[in-house]
Amino acid sequence: MFDHSAKYFEKVSEDMGVSIKIPRPSKKSIQASVKSNTVVGVGLVAGGVLFSSKAMVTLGILSIAGATALHYQLKA
């Protein structure tokens, strides 16, 4: 997913006459992002339940969903 998006934007910028290189995240940095998003997500969900905050629960769910998407990106 990252590589596909990066190639697209590099091609579009090249067509516009601008040369850019979008950095690709390493496997190690994606793994770190998965772990941190999971921890933050679980913390937000727990805090949202504890403090009855719908916003915190929503942000926690989004964070966990992002971690899941990154996890599947690692498998691809």
Side-chain angles (χ1 to χ4, degrees), residues 1-22 24:
M1 184 167 101
F2 291 116
D3 196 44
H4 178 70
S5 298
K7 283 181 184 177
Y8 172 78
F9 286 113
E10 287 172 354
K11 184 180 181 326
V12 169
S13 69
E14 187 177 299
D15 292 342
M16 292 171 47
V18 180
S19 177
I20 62 168
K21 283 288 184 195
I22 298 175
R24 275 49 168 202

Side-chain angles (χ1 to χ4, degrees), residues 13-42:
S13 69
E14 187 177 299
D15 292 342
M16 292 171 47
V18 180
S19 177
I20 62 168
K21 283 288 184 195
I22 298 175
R24 275 49 168 202
S26 68
K27 186 175 182 177
K28 188 175 181 178
S29 67
I30 293 174
Q31 287 173 338
S33 294
V34 168
K35 290 177 184 175
S36 64
N37 282 354
T38 302
V39 168
V40 168
V42 169

